[in-house]
Amino acid sequence: MAASFDGDPGRSGAPTAVEELEPEGEPGGASGAPRVTLDDVLAGPAAEAAAPLPARGAQPLGVAMRTARVAAVAGRQARIVVRGAAGQVEALVAPEVDPDVIADAHARGDAVLVELCEGEPPLIVGALTTQRPKALHLKAGTITLEGEQELLLRSGRGAVRIREDGDIEVVGSRISAASRGLFRIVGRLLRLN
């Protein structure tokens, strides 16, 4: 029999070690059920575990986020090819996504991210870039490039370097400057050759 701690405040010291209580008689307890060991479980029929998986066919779209390729785009509507779906699917471009971003993805062959919901047309929520571009085209109302210490634009043997102290250096094999109107050069000191 094991001693139990009854929480009596007058009792001092730790309770004695707990012994496993097992009724007299057969192992397995009073219920008479045999004990099952881990070896018994692992030695079960191997045929059930080796059953072949069901063949995987085309899955329905369901509720998910998937990648797709854009087959055509016109405004906020597009035809896409979703992996796992047969053929092209009509989709909408999400209101927060600029349709030109999706048109650019179509032109580059990039994938798009599509939100799929039952009962609703697929919704394109973004474009994915998976490769470095060979050419980069930026188009915006204002483009700001800012370097805390230095900004360097370089192509081949020509370069423009702008430093934080205000020094600007233009280097090239031949440098041309032209103006359709007034061409003004202002400086405290101008040095030619």
Side-chain angles (χ1 to χ4, degrees), residues 15 18 27 53 61 75 90 103 108 116 121-122 137-138 148-149 159 185:
V18 177
L53 295 172
L61 296 179
E90 292 292 326
R108 289 189 307 265
L116 303 170
H137 175 79
L138 296 176
E148 289 183 11
Q149 296 177 356
I185 299 175

Side-chain angles (χ1 to χ4, degrees), residues 8-192:
D8 183 359
R11 184 177 170 162
S12 62
T16 59
V18 177
E19 299 172 7
E20 186 175 330
L21 295 177
E22 190 171 297
E24 306 294 327
E26 296 181 26
S31 67
R35 282 191 168 172
V36 178
T37 65
L38 184 58
D39 290 332
D40 295 335
V41 172
L42 293 176
E48 292 176 18
L53 295 172
R56 181 177 174 184
Q59 297 178 345
L61 296 179
V63 178
M65 293 289 279
R66 297 254 178 103
T67 58
R69 296 281 176 198
V70 179
V73 64
R76 293 212 161 270
Q77 298 199 351
R79 280 195 325 273
I80 58 174
V81 178
V82 179
R83 188 173 177 185
Q88 295 181 359
V89 179
E90 292 292 326
L92 298 175
V93 177
E96 62 273 9
V97 176
D98 185 349
D100 290 338
V101 171
I102 305 307
D104 290 346
H106 175 243
R108 289 189 307 265
D110 286 342
V112 292
L113 188 61
V114 181
E115 186 178 281
L116 303 170
C117 260
E118 300 243 359
E120 294 184 24
L123 189 65
I124 300 173
V125 295
L128 302 174
T129 300
T130 56
Q131 298 177 10
R132 280 187 169 179
K134 291 185 171 104
L136 183 61
H137 175 79
L138 296 176
K139 184 177 181 181
T142 302
I143 297 175
T144 302
L145 300 175
E146 190 171 327
E148 289 183 11
Q149 296 177 356
E150 180 176 289
L151 178 64
L152 175 65
L153 300 174
R154 181 184 318 176
S155 178
R157 295 174 57 190
V160 176
R161 179 185 313 251
I162 304 172
R163 293 193 178 98
E164 67 178 328
D165 61 2
D167 284 353
I168 299 174
E169 184 180 352
V170 179
V171 177
S173 300
R174 193 175 85 210
I175 299 172
S176 300
S179 172
R180 288 195 168 86
L182 176 66
F183 189 151
R184 187 161 72 176
I185 299 175
V186 177
R188 286 180 39 196
L189 177 65
L190 296 177
R191 182 183 301 172
L192 299 174

